[in-house]
Amino acid sequence: MLRHSARCAATALTLTLAVSGCVSHDAQTDADQRPNILLILTDDQGYGDLALHGNQHLDTPRMDALGNASVRLDNFHAAPVCSPTRASLMTGRQFLSTGVWGVHGGRDYLHLGETTIAQRLSAAGYATYMMGKWHLGKSAAYLPHQRGFDESWMITDRLYMHTDPVFNHNGTTEKPKGWTAEILTDLAIDCMSREPDKPWFIYLAHPLIHEPYFAPDELVTKYRAMGLSESLATLYAMTEHLDTEVGRVVDAVTDRQNQRETIVIFMGDNGPIGNPWNLPHLTVEEMQQRNPRGWRGTKGNLYENGARVPAFVYAPERYQPRIEQSDTDVVDIVPTILDLASLPHNDATFDGLSLVPLLEGKPDALPDQRPLFMANHDARWPSWSYLYSHLPDREALRFEDQAVAVREGRYKFVLGYGSSALYDLALDTAEQQDISDQQPDVRDRLESTLRAWWEERVAAMPASYHMPTFQIGLDNAPSTYLYACAPVTVRGGVRTASHAVHDWQQDGDAIGLSVNVLRPGAYSLRADLVAGDNPSGSLTVRIGDATTTAPISEIRWPTIGTLELPADENIMWISLDHPGVADSPVIQELRGIEITPAPR
C-alpha cells in the first residue's frame, strides 16, 4: 500500500466513550477554552454504506465506532449532489441562494458575497484548515484560502483518481505521491499541532467514495473473495480504506483531548450512485445491497436515498451517545458549530438552526414540524433542452418547472418537473404511495409553502441562478484562468457544456464572461482550445473598448494578444470571426482564457 512520506505514526487507539454524563458549557466561554472542531465530509457515501446502518457485506469498524460514540442524526439530509451540499455546509444557507445551483458548467461557484464558516471562526481566533475536495469555485477569489481558511490543500487535478493528487496549497502547486485519503489524513493530523495556542477548525473533505473505483489491492482481494463483482468489491474496498483513514484521524483527536476539547462532525454529501466509468456499473441488486432500508432514489434526486446521509456529532465531554430521529439538515451545521464554539450569531442569517438544544437532549427546543426545503441541481425553463443548457434570463425560470421538495414532520411534498406527489414518511419511507388525493389539504398547504419559499427565498435572491464574476489581477496573481463553461451570455450556435463551450462554426458565435478587473494594466491572453479538423477564421476577445484578435490554427494554446484594461466590472466577449464556409466546427471546444499581467 502506498504511503505518504510525511505520514505521522498512526496510533492504535480505539474510539471509546468514557463519560457518564454531559458537561454544561457557559455561553461566554473564553476563547482559550473554545473547542477544536473537526468536520469530516465524505463523497457519495450513502446512508447504507456503513455496517452500522445494516450493510452486512461491508466492514466499517472505525466509522461504526464513531457513530456508536456520537449523537447520530438518523434523519439528516444533505443536498442530492456534491457542490450544493458543500455550499450549504460552508454557509448555513440553502444552496440555491448562495450562487451555487448545480455541478460544473459555472454553477458551482460560491458567491463572493457569502460568508463561510471558516471566515466566521477565523475572525473569532480559530486557526482554520481545509484539505481535499472544495468544489465551490476554482478561479481566483473563489479558492478556499481566499474564503477564510488559513491554509488549504484543494485538489485541482486527479481529484477522483484517489492517488497522487495535485494540490493548490495557498496558490502553490504541490504533487505528493500516495493514496489521496492517506495524504489528506496526514495533513489533517499535522494541522492539529501547528498552532497549539489557538483552537482549530479542520475541514477534511474526502473524495472517497466517488467514482472511478480504485482501492488498495489487498482490500479489493478481500471483498472479491466474498464472491462480489469486481465493481462492488472495489467500491467496498474504497469504503473500508476510507474507514481506516477516518479512524486514524479520530485516533489523533482522542490522543489530544487532554490538551483541548475536540468535537468531531462526520457526514456524507449525498446519496449513493453506482456508475463508475472504469468498471461495469453496479446492478440493481448490488445497489439494493447498499440500501438495506429500501429507500427510493439515488444520488441526484430528491427521494430519501438521494439525500439522507450518515451524520454523527462526537462530543464526549458534552453529550451522551444516542440516536436522534428529529428532522435535521445540512443548513443546520454552521449555526450548530457557532453555538458549539460559544460564538454569537444572528439566526436570521441562516436557513438552518443550531442543533445544540437537540444534542443536549431537548428536541422540544426546536420548532415543531419546521419546513425543510430541498432542491435538485438541474434547473429548468421553457427553452431548456439538456443539463447544461444556457439559461437566457432568470426571468425564464418558473416554479412549476423545477425539481424541489419540502419536508414537514411526517409529510414530504415533491415537485418534479411538472408532476408532484405527497408522501407520508411515517408510513411509507420508500415513497411509493402518493396520498395527494387522500390528503388534499396537506398537499395544497405544502405546495403553497414550497412555492412561497422558492419565489421569495430563491428566485428573488440576487445571487440565485447566476454565473460567477471572474476576478482579474487579484493579489498580484501571476495569472487567472477564466472558465469558458460559465458564460453569462451566449450567441450563435455554440453549445455550453460541463467544462467547455463546443461547436464554434458560424461567424459571430460568441460567449460573454462576467469579469472584474481589480488591477488596471496590460494583460496577455492565451486561449485553451481544441481546434476542429479544418481551423479557419479568427478568435477575438473584447473587454469594453479593448480588443485583440488571433487566427485560429491547430495550436493547443494560441496566444491571442494583449489588452490594456482599466479597473472595472465588464463583460469579456469571445467571438469567432470570418470562419468562411465551414461544414464542421472550426473550434471543437473552448475551455478557457488564461490572462496574465504583461511585462512592462
Side-chain angles (χ1 to χ4, degrees):
M1 182 184 297
L2 293 170
R3 295 286 176 181
H4 183 225
S5 60
R7 173 177 295 284
C8 302
T11 66
L13 294 178
T14 301
L15 180 65
T16 58
L17 186 75
V19 296
S20 58
C22 299
V23 178
S24 63
H25 281 245
D26 188 89
Q28 300 302 316
T29 301
D30 184 83
D32 288 342
Q33 297 175 323
R34 285 182 176 138
N36 299 321
I37 298 167
L38 171 62
L39 175 59
I40 304 173
L41 183 68
T42 65
D43 201 347
D44 287 1
Q45 181 183 21
Y47 181 95
D49 288 319
L50 286 170
L52 179 69
H53 288 165
N55 191 318
Q56 299 179 3
H57 301 269
L58 181 59
D59 287 335
T60 51
R62 302 311 309 275
M63 290 186 283
D64 294 349
L66 179 62
N68 284 325
S70 301
V71 179
R72 287 162 56 188
L73 303 176
D74 203 55
N75 198 8
F76 182 90
H77 290 74
V81 289
C82 52
S83 294
T85 289
R86 285 163 168 75
S88 294
L89 185 61
M90 288 293 101
T91 65
R93 287 158 44 76
Q94 218 287 335
F95 72 88
L96 285 176
S97 63
T98 70
V100 172
W101 53 294
V103 179
H104 306 311
R107 303 173 185 186
D108 48 8
Y109 282 69
L110 186 67
H111 191 270
L112 296 178
E114 293 293 321
T115 303
T116 69
I117 182 61
Q119 289 169 309
R120 296 180 189 278
L121 292 176
S122 180
Y126 272 76
T128 54
Y129 307 100
M130 181 270 169
M131 59 283 301
K133 178 178 173 179
W134 176 240
H135 219 160
L136 292 175
K138 51 189 178 181
S139 289
Y142 294 91
L143 307 179
H145 70 276
Q146 297 159 332
R147 305 306 298 264
F149 289 97
D150 298 333
E151 282 193 89
S152 65
W153 293 263
M154 181 186 83
I155 304 175
T156 60
D157 197 7
R158 297 185 57 82
L159 174 60
Y160 300 124
M161 301 310 289
H162 305 301
T163 58
D164 304 344
V166 178
F167 290 133
N168 179 323
H169 177 205
N170 286 35
T172 299
T173 299
E174 295 181 358
K175 298 180 179 181
K177 299 296 183 182
W179 287 103
T180 300
E182 298 171 10
I183 294 169
L184 296 178
T185 301
D186 290 341
L187 288 168
I189 293 172
D190 179 67
C191 288
M192 292 178 188
S193 57
R194 288 199 172 196
E195 296 195 58
D197 295 332
K198 282 186 175 184
W200 48 252
F201 170 62
I202 294 175
Y203 174 36
L204 171 55
H206 280 289
L208 285 173
I209 53 178
H210 196 289
E211 61 89 25
Y213 294 171
F214 296 108
D217 288 342
E218 62 269 29
L219 291 177
V220 178
T221 298
K222 167 185 172 178
Y223 287 99
R224 194 185 292 129
M226 297 179 183
L228 302 179
S229 70
E230 190 69 13
S231 299
L232 192 58
T234 308
L235 175 64
Y236 281 177
M238 293 171 72
T239 309
E240 186 171 339
H241 189 200
L242 170 66
D243 182 77
T244 298
E245 295 310 305
V246 170
R248 201 157 64 83
V249 76
V250 171
D251 282 346
V253 165
T254 57
D255 244 356
R256 292 166 169 79
Q257 283 287 26
N258 62 339
Q259 300 171 18
R260 185 190 294 268
E261 179 194 10
T262 299
I263 296 169
V264 180
I265 300 173
F266 172 93
M267 59 173 283
D269 70 340
N270 49 246
I273 195 166
N275 57 352
W277 60 257
N278 63 322
L279 289 171
H281 291 188
L282 299 185
T283 65
V284 171
E285 292 74 21
E286 288 173 328
M287 287 299 291
Q288 289 173 342
Q289 185 183 118
R290 298 176 63 196
N291 181 19
R293 294 203 181 184
W295 292 333
R296 183 177 178 180
T298 59
K299 172 185 177 178
N301 61 53
L302 298 174
Y303 299 112
E304 289 296 279
N305 203 41
R308 191 165 166 181
V309 296
F312 313 144
V313 179
Y314 173 68
E317 296 183 35
R318 303 186 183 214
Y319 312 126
Q320 292 276 17
R322 68 181 190 281
I323 299 175
E324 178 54 66
Q325 296 291 351
S326 298
D327 286 341
T328 51
D329 192 275
V330 63
V331 295
D332 298 327
I333 296 299
V334 167
T336 299
I337 288 174
L338 294 176
D339 266 5
L340 290 170
S342 301
L343 295 174
H345 55 87
N346 180 1
D347 288 343
T349 302
F350 307 116
D351 292 319
L353 297 173
S354 171
L355 300 179
V356 166
L358 188 70
L359 298 171
E360 292 175 342
K362 306 170 187 174
D364 294 341
L366 296 180
D368 185 39
Q369 296 189 344
R370 61 171 172 149
L372 290 170
F373 300 98
M374 305 171 66
N376 205 344
H377 64 294
D378 183 8
R380 296 193 181 180
W381 50 93
S383 64
W384 178 97
S385 60
Y386 63 98
L387 177 59
Y388 292 105
S389 293
H390 176 69
L391 174 62
D393 191 294
R394 291 203 312 165
E395 298 301 317
L397 295 164
R398 304 180 303 183
F399 168 72
E400 54 268 22
D401 293 330
Q402 308 313 309
V404 287
V406 58
R407 308 188 315 277
E408 187 179 279
R410 66 190 295 165
Y411 296 110
K412 179 177 176 180
F413 176 74
V414 180
L415 175 69
Y417 306 130
S419 63
S420 65
L422 176 69
Y423 302 106
D424 183 347
L425 296 179
L427 302 176
D428 178 26
T429 57
E431 296 170 286
Q432 297 296 315
Q433 303 298 320
D434 179 8
I435 60 168
S436 297
D437 292 340
Q438 290 80 18
Q439 297 280 2
D441 292 344
V442 175
R443 183 213 176 280
D444 291 346
R445 176 175 59 81
L446 290 182
E447 182 180 23
S448 177
T449 298
L450 186 60
R451 177 185 289 274
W453 166 76
W454 187 84
E455 292 178 348
E456 298 168 12
R457 299 288 297 165
V458 175
M461 294 293 101
S464 298
Y465 303 109
H466 270 289
M467 287 298 180
T469 295
F470 295 104
Q471 308 296 306
I472 297 173
L474 176 70
D475 297 334
N476 297 315
S479 65
T480 301
Y481 190 94
L482 313 182
Y483 288 84
C485 62
V488 294
T489 304
V490 171
R491 293 177 180 173
V494 296
R495 186 173 186 271
T496 51
S498 61
H499 293 84
V501 177
H502 297 264
D503 301 338
W504 299 69
Q505 185 170 343
Q506 306 169 19
D507 186 33
D509 279 352
I511 62 170
L513 302 177
S514 176
V515 298
N516 183 25
V517 180
L518 299 171
R519 187 180 60 184
Y523 289 87
S524 300
L525 282 71
R526 294 197 307 160
D528 181 5
L529 60 80
V530 177
D533 293 335
N534 297 295
S536 61
S538 59
L539 192 68
T540 298
V541 178
R542 175 171 58 85
I543 301 178
D545 296 329
T547 302
T548 185
T549 300
I552 297 170
S553 67
E554 296 178 353
I555 297 174
R556 177 72 174 77
W557 279 88
T559 297
I560 305 302
T562 300
L563 295 177
E564 186 73 34
L565 300 177
D568 192 16
E569 189 164 344
N570 214 319
I571 300 295
M572 172 186 280
W573 286 102
I574 308 167
S575 61
L576 173 63
D577 296 325
H578 312 299
V581 178
D583 56 6
S584 63
V586 297
I587 299 176
Q588 291 185 24
E589 61 178 47
L590 176 69
R591 297 176 181 175
I593 298 290
E594 182 187 67
I595 184 165
T596 304
R600 291 292 186 177

